[in-house]
Amino acid sequence: MTKGTPEAARHVADAHELIRVHGARENNLKGVSLEIPKRRLTVFTGVSGSGKSSLVFDTIAAESQRMINESYSAFVQGFMPSLARPDVDVLEGLTTAILVGQDPMGANPRSTVGTATDAYTMLRILFSRLGKPHIGSPQAFAFNVASISGAGAVTVERGGEKVRERREFSITGGMCPRCEGRGDVTDFDLTALYDENLSLNEGALTIPGYSMDGWYGRIFRGCGFFDPDKPIRTFTKRELNALLYKEPTRIKVEGVNVTYEGLIPKIRKSMLAKDREAMQPHIRRFVDRAITFGTCPDCGGSRLSELARSSRIDGLSIAEAATMQISDLAEWVRGLTEPEVKPLLDALGESLDSFVEIGLGYLSLNRSAGSLSGGEAQRTRMIRHLGSSLTDVTYVFDEPTIGLHPHDIARMNRLLLQLRDKGNTVLVVEHKPETIEIGDHVVDLGPGAGEAGGSVCFEGSVEGLRGSGTITGRHLGDRASLKDAVRGASGALEIRGASTNNLRDVDVDVPLGVLCVLTGVAGSGKSSLVNGSIAGRDGVVLVDQTPIKGSRRSNPATYTGALDPIRKGFAKANGVKPGLFSANSDGACPACNGAGVIYTELGFMETFSTTCEECEGKRFQAAVLEYTLGGRNIAEVLDLSVGEAVEFLGTGEADLPAAHTILQRLEDVGIGYVKLGQPLTTLSGGERQRLKLATQMSQKGGRSAVYVLDEPTTGLHLADVEQLLGLLDRLVDSGKSVVVIEHHQAVMAHADWIIDLGPGAGHDGGRVVFEGTPAELVAARSTLTGQHLADYVGA
């Protein structure tokens, strides 16, 4: 450009530098309008329930994904989740959104860290090229592919004539035939299924629900595969096989067509398909008594066949490679120099190095994906994106620091900035000040939770947030101080020789009657110590963040039992039966069966859901809504937040002490903003944990109960942590013992006793590196935790 020449006009395509949101009303959002800069890191913060996820996930990301899905053919859309358009007036400047959330990585028992990230796929190709002896293609090392062979006649057309030929085929897979690629097996104790000295008619079966007086008994009597009056010990091999293992077979019993199935496959489908927690108590007792779960003796838990394990590279089999800690496997891969597979070695090495860089080097590729915590699952998903060549993508993260030690948060922050610096827009929902402070732009929602939230309280820089006067701004610089005095222990849980996972014969005494915090870097062995040596003991109540078992009809009112006294209160006030006030019983809207929505099948396209026009989503019959208690009908009561319900159910005609007590506990644990009728499937991991804790507090566990909490600060705003600490203090002061797995420095500083595991992760951890009071930990500064806690309290 020569001097004096006017600067060239900016190209119109460069003008789209903002994501514009106008009039967002999803969930509790109150017509939110804002502009989010592209190719920057924007942090969304605010108290729990203020509307962060509604804005970021349910509005911005949901509309981006919906529009991308609509670009596919109707056939492809039939295999995709249905996404309705968010309730927003205008959304402009959207780019492709990639969600990296905390959702579990699936319950498929054959899904592993390696298969979820394609690292195991590359490892299979490597062994198919370099493994000695050569056993076949990459699928010969796949534990999801079974080895099969067959032969038969086929008809082919040759020279205008049809000719029949014999053909043979075989597929060499790597699946262990005994455990079918799962790595573990279930063994049945047959003596717990039946008394062999009795006949079926004499009540030989000891399985819950398999009475000969019921329908099962009629099927067994009429199946014709064995004599029901004959003692089981006298059954022939064929008869016993029919009783225990027969595959589903259609038969006619008493003129009715039914399906007969052997006891063991039927038990697998009806009982073992559920998580143990979801089982009824008598079913759980039977399963614990009759079934043992153990490592597959044939493959040693590697999931692979003997053939797949026989092929080696430098003396190492693929099973041994997949079991190695990823940081060690990366070193092994770097030691391979075969030029014919150099591109593959480089790609595999980069993938494994990404695990180490992201703080997951302590995992192994054969680690079950379902066993990962929410934070580990989120970081594992990030592996795919770190090496991606995509730019101008919107990455959306849901509290990426969950489960991270303060030492690891700095590493996560670098990764978020790395994604931004590649030219991407990064949106982060976060509470931790360490991550808020790296934001180029901050959006603070609130001012409160639920109906009291849904507005933008501040939008701008981090420094602007500090001086804004919002709840987040006021608490951003909060630092808890060490307690002047700590409680003394009333006893101890003795742990000796703990060796679960990476623990190295740990001997430690967990004090009782105090607030004990178990900490250490991610992968140091905290969960292994709790699950392997503390959970399951008498009086120990483990309250974690796993999903609550239940249908989409389940809500906090049904889960906690608060709905029962509410229904009875309505029934008594109106002189009718309580069943009318259940959307799952007599009072259900007949059009939607109490679901509130109607699902419409559209053939090969998506199943479409619409709000029921008859009940307008209220789930109840119109006649039921005419009955009131304290001036409100049952649908209006279920639409109240917990906090509003506590006030409503504690006064006047609606004074229901039983329900009031239950809901007061929900408010005590910090989820007063959740609605009574909100589906449990919409709750976050932290909200689920606090709901479970409130429910456990209502049960009479005795003064000696030991509560074990797994990161209770998950999802908590800085202002809510103080309320949580007060709750933990009240539990201890009431005679309970509280053990907390936690990384939050405010909880560490408030503890009476700290047990620090480490010093590193995986095989570099698994030892107790400190046990004592927080003041002693800060004074010693001998561990990573001690150094970060000292910096936090300003010591």
Side-chain angles (χ1 to χ4, degrees), residues 200 216-228 235 239 242-243 246 249-254 258-261:
L200 293 175
Y216 282 139
R218 293 160 68 182
I219 293 177
F220 283 123
R221 285 194 189 99
C223 69
F225 299 128
F226 37 72
D227 184 354
F235 274 22
E239 289 173 330
L243 174 67
K246 195 169 187 65
T249 306
R250 295 294 290 176
I251 60 173
K252 183 170 285 190
V253 175
E254 300 174 12
V258 296
T259 299
Y260 174 87
E261 188 172 17

Side-chain angles (χ1 to χ4, degrees), residues 55-78:
L55 176 61
V56 178
F57 289 93
D58 300 339
T59 302
I60 298 172
E63 179 64 0
S64 172
Q65 292 199 323
R66 187 187 71 85
M67 296 181 75
I68 290 171
N69 288 358
E70 284 189 348
S71 68
Y72 297 118
S73 67
F75 175 77
V76 174
Q77 289 183 46

Side-chain angles (χ1 to χ4, degrees), residues 100-105 113 117 355 358-363 367-383 399-404 412 521-528 711 743 761-762:
V100 190
Q102 298 273 348
D103 304 326
M105 295 191 71
V113 170
T117 58
F355 276 99
I358 210 167
L360 295 176
Y362 60 88
L363 297 178
R367 169 83 174 264
S368 173
S371 69
L372 299 180
S373 69
E376 288 172 333
Q378 185 178 47
R379 280 176 281 153
T380 299
R381 291 187 181 97
M382 283 184 71
I383 300 292
E399 293 195 60
T401 60
I402 284 178
L404 288 184
M412 173 58 73
V521 297
S524 60
K526 303 180 298 296
S527 297
S528 297
E711 294 198 60
H743 294 296

